[in-house]
Amino acid sequence: MAEKTSAEVIIGGKVYTLSGYEGEEYLQKVATYINNKLGEFQGMEELRHLSGDMKATLLQLNIADDYFKAKTQVEKLEREIEQKEKEIYDLKHDLISNQIKAESDEKARKELEEQNKELLINKAKLEASLEDALLGKVPGKDKTEE
Amino acid sequence: MAEKTSAEVIIGGKVYTLSGYEGEEYLQKVATYINNKLGEFQGMEELRHLSGDMKATLLQLNIADDYFKAKTQVEKLEREIEQKEKEIYDLKHDLISNQIKAESDEKARKELEEQNKELLINKAKLEASLEDALLGKVPGKDKTEE
């Protein structure tokens, strides 16, 4: 398992020592995110008269709003993935159906080719027989011409 | 556009009037989420000696952690969707290739069937000609038998 690490981060000008299973990079990223929010709050005239307590709660609400927005996005993406998985399943099903049909078509084509081949052999034989029969019919004529 | 609404929520026992474009249901959900976190914090012995300020920051960090976890999840799902879209693209490409091949196979099959049909007609004609030729060869015999 991951080892517990600790890191010093500065939030709102105060130093906090955080420990957890997350790396320092992650903890600094979270601290920076909160400091950016604090910076936004400081620039808002309408928040200036509020108590520190009130500001802290508003900041919590603001962060929680980001969280719920991201959570909603997760749910939306999960539904999208479900739809895409269904689409993939259907496409694979179509591909398999096509493959089965292609194999049966291939078999039918080979049979037709085989029949064709036999018919061509048969044709050659019939033509030879006919030639023999026709030649046999007028044997004298051939002989006279010789 | 959505209308601005305002709602009273209770966080940590204090009443806050929130206004925004979110519905009251959403604001209450966010407040409940924060109150649950506060409840968890109150049950933790190691946080009891901390100042209210410190606790508020820890709560912000905790919520921000939830946010970043959800954000990471969003990024992971977006990558998954990208992969699935690629898979769908490839499957559709395969289906189209198969369809083109199926159409060309169908054309080849029809040509073979046509050839077969012609060969069968040809065979019947040749057989008839051969019969005529063979019968013509021994015309006397037939007549004697009558």
Side-chain angles (χ1 to χ4, degrees):
Chain A
M1 289 295 165
E3 264 180 54
K4 228 173 175 178
T5 53
S6 76
E8 285 192 344
V9 298
I10 300 168
I11 295 171
K14 282 183 197 158
V15 178
Y16 294 85
T17 304
L18 304 176
S19 69
Y21 295 101
E22 305 291 347
E24 172 156 7
E25 202 189 336
Y26 176 78
L27 298 171
Q28 295 297 351
K29 187 171 75 172
V30 178
T32 303
Y33 161 81
I34 294 175
N35 283 323
N36 287 341
K37 296 252 174 211
L38 281 169
E40 281 172 37
F41 271 37
Q42 269 161 8
M44 291 164 94
E45 192 61 45
E46 64 269 39
L47 302 184
R48 216 160 268 185
H49 67 282
L50 296 180
S51 68
D53 217 35
M54 205 94 158
K55 277 186 202 162
T57 303
L58 280 183
L59 188 52
Q60 285 155 12
L61 280 163
N62 191 293
I63 302 169
D65 183 46
D66 281 357
Y67 164 60
F68 278 99
K69 295 272 194 303
K71 209 169 159 246
T72 302
Q73 180 73 353
V74 165
E75 285 155 11
K76 184 183 153 261
L77 293 173
E78 278 171 345
R79 282 196 301 275
E80 256 182 61
I81 284 177
E82 222 173 274
Q83 281 170 354
K84 293 207 183 294
E85 272 167 0
K86 203 196 159 300
E87 195 175 348
I88 287 169
Y89 178 87
D90 289 345
L91 284 167
K92 281 186 178 168
H93 181 269
D94 287 353
L95 264 178
I96 290 169
S97 299
N98 282 3
Q99 202 176 330
I100 290 168
K101 198 186 168 295
E103 277 164 18
S104 130
D105 284 356
E106 173 75 6
K107 208 183 148 204
R109 191 180 59 77
K110 279 197 179 148
E111 276 170 13
L112 277 170
E113 275 175 355
E114 200 54 45
Q115 281 171 26
N116 248 1
K117 204 175 137 193
E118 276 171 32
L119 282 168
L120 280 168
I121 292 168
N122 202 265
K123 187 191 168 199
K125 279 186 191 161
L126 279 169
E127 279 171 348
S129 299
L130 185 60
E131 206 179 316
D132 283 350
L134 289 173
L135 286 177
K137 219 179 135 186
V138 283
K141 206 190 165 198
D142 272 9
K143 272 175 187 162
T144 9
E145 276 173 351
E146 271 172 13
Chain B
M1 286 296 168
E3 263 179 55
K4 228 173 174 176
T5 53
S6 76
E8 284 193 343
V9 299
I10 300 168
I11 294 171
K14 285 183 194 156
V15 178
Y16 294 84
T17 304
L18 305 177
S19 69
Y21 295 102
E22 305 291 347
E24 171 155 6
E25 201 189 333
Y26 176 77
L27 298 172
Q28 295 295 351
K29 186 171 75 172
V30 178
T32 303
Y33 160 81
I34 295 174
N35 283 323
N36 287 341
K37 295 254 174 210
L38 282 169
E40 281 171 37
F41 271 36
Q42 269 161 10
M44 291 164 93
E45 190 62 44
E46 63 270 36
L47 301 184
R48 217 162 265 183
H49 67 281
L50 296 180
S51 68
D53 216 36
M54 206 96 160
K55 277 187 202 162
T57 303
L58 280 184
L59 188 52
Q60 285 154 11
L61 281 163
N62 191 293
I63 301 168
D65 183 46
D66 280 358
Y67 164 60
F68 278 99
K69 295 271 193 304
K71 208 168 159 250
T72 302
Q73 180 74 353
V74 165
E75 285 155 11
K76 183 182 153 262
L77 293 174
E78 278 171 346
R79 282 195 301 274
E80 256 184 60
I81 285 178
E82 221 172 277
Q83 281 171 353
K84 293 207 183 295
E85 272 167 1
K86 203 197 159 301
E87 194 174 349
I88 287 170
Y89 178 86
D90 289 344
L91 284 168
K92 281 185 179 169
H93 180 270
D94 287 353
L95 264 177
I96 290 170
S97 298
N98 281 3
Q99 205 176 327
I100 290 168
K101 198 187 168 297
E103 277 164 18
S104 127
D105 284 356
E106 173 76 5
K107 208 184 148 203
R109 191 181 58 75
K110 280 196 179 148
E111 276 170 13
L112 276 171
E113 275 174 355
E114 201 54 45
Q115 281 171 26
N116 248 0
K117 203 176 137 194
E118 276 171 33
L119 281 168
L120 280 169
I121 292 168
N122 202 265
K123 186 191 170 201
K125 280 185 191 162
L126 279 169
E127 279 170 348
S129 298
L130 186 61
E131 207 180 318
D132 285 350
L134 290 172
L135 288 175
K137 223 178 133 184
V138 281
K141 207 190 165 200
D142 273 8
K143 275 176 187 163
T144 8
E145 276 172 352
E146 270 168 15

